[in-house]
Amino acid sequence: MRQFLLCTAVCCLVLLPLCVGGKRVVFMPSPFTSHTNYHTNVARTLARQGHEVWLTMPDYIVNRRVLDTTNLTVIEYQTLKNFEEIMTAAFPGNYFKGLSDDFSRVLSTVLHVFSSVVDGFSYKDAVSRYAPEMPFLTIDMLVARAEIWLVTTEHILDYPRPSMPNVKLIGGTLTGPGKPLPPQFKSFMDDAKEGVVIVSFGSYVLSPPEPITQKIMNVLKDLPFKSVFRSNISSPNSKKILTSSWIPQNDLLAHPNTRVFVSQCGNEDQYEALFHAVPVVCTPIFIDQFYNAERMRVKGMAETVDLNTVSTDQLQSTILKVATNTSYKQAITKASELGPKEHPKHKDDTTPALDSLPSVAAPVCGL
């Protein structure tokens, strides 16, 4: 499952020397907003360092205009299918239908094998398309000859593992200090002296099935905290439960009144929780989220529940346990104290490595 995520998140960077001393770097991320956003952040850093950076992006992401592409050349391409809509319909829908773990493992294995053989998210002729003056190499050849790998993980949350000098860990590069909250969120958070529970299942799950939604609402109404719930539904009590289809998640987690984060435990969610030392109730739904949730649980930062099977009482008691038992806060605070030593170097650590590489014959691939 985790290998499938890494494989589909491959972003090939084609390097081309420029007369000004920088290089042309072409990012080709998989066509999902979260993946593209991560690569866009790295791309902006390289642009600030003097490189000419191009970023390929499907039309449906370009049209949403939610990504900061400052100083980047965006290459828009047309797609016959909206992969995000397919993802939204397939994985969360199947999860909430209560499909067995065995079926989920089989599905992940099939997707992993397919993605290992077929790369549907990048041009096979990328070199001739973006660097026609250079010797032609296919994407497969570029990956095989990669001299540097950028991997969206880091040592703090992950398990110990061997690595190589040409592997640069860039997990959590989108995370940072909180920004001022919009007025509606600021007043709600500031007035919540009893504490706030932040609930979000990501941008793909804004409308869970009615039984799941009702279960969550029943819990939030009875908790001794206020709640911010990212969803498309209306709040039964706006003074206690604030609902919105969009939330400034990182900024909410940075607020001192935040007590616990109920999250599907996506890639960036876990790093935001780590950065701001907010313990988590993990509700993994698909792909890498189960792996992310389990390693946070093992490290004492979180508890994990299955939204399909957990009862209302069990969900409420789990949230209360994580919010009030100081061991969870202590564990994630200790890990978070190591975070600032890691995060600042991520954003600029790749630049010297890129500067030392020759042209397109030495490709860069980021996971």
Side-chain angles (χ1 to χ4, degrees), residues 175-194:
T175 307
K179 299 177 182 177
L181 289 167
Q184 70 173 116
F185 292 100
K186 177 175 172 52
S187 59
F188 186 86
M189 297 295 293
D190 289 347
D191 293 341
K193 304 305 179 184
E194 68 274 39

Side-chain angles (χ1 to χ4, degrees), residues 25-37:
V25 185
V26 182
F27 281 75
M28 293 178 288
S30 54
F32 302 99
T33 301
S34 58
H35 293 166
T36 304
N37 189 31

Side-chain angles (χ1 to χ4, degrees), residues 189 194-200 220 223 225-228 252-253 255-263 273 276-282 301-303 315-316 318-325 328-329 332:
M189 297 295 293
E194 68 274 39
V196 181
V197 177
I198 308 300
V199 183
S200 174
L220 299 183
L223 285 174
F225 313 116
K226 285 188 173 183
S227 302
V228 176
L252 290 171
L253 292 174
H255 197 282
N257 288 340
T258 297
R259 297 289 295 275
V260 64
F261 183 26
V262 180
S263 168
H276 299 296
V278 178
V280 183
V281 173
C282 303
M301 309 171 185
E303 289 292 343
L315 180 58
Q316 180 175 338
T318 301
I319 294 175
L320 284 171
K321 177 182 179 181
V322 174
T324 59
N325 188 322
Y328 298 97
K329 181 68 173 180
I332 199 166

Side-chain angles (χ1 to χ4, degrees), residues 83-129:
F83 290 99
E84 287 193 313
E85 290 182 352
I86 295 173
M87 190 79 148
T88 302
F91 287 99
N94 287 333
Y95 169 78
F96 287 123
K97 289 177 184 176
L99 297 181
S100 67
D101 290 341
D102 289 340
F103 180 86
S104 298
R105 292 190 182 97
V106 171
L107 178 60
S108 296
T109 300
V110 171
L111 291 173
H112 171 60
V113 172
F114 176 80
S115 61
S116 298
V117 177
V118 179
D119 180 6
F121 299 146
S122 60
Y123 293 117
K124 294 293 184 182
D125 61 343
V127 174
S128 58
R129 187 181 291 260

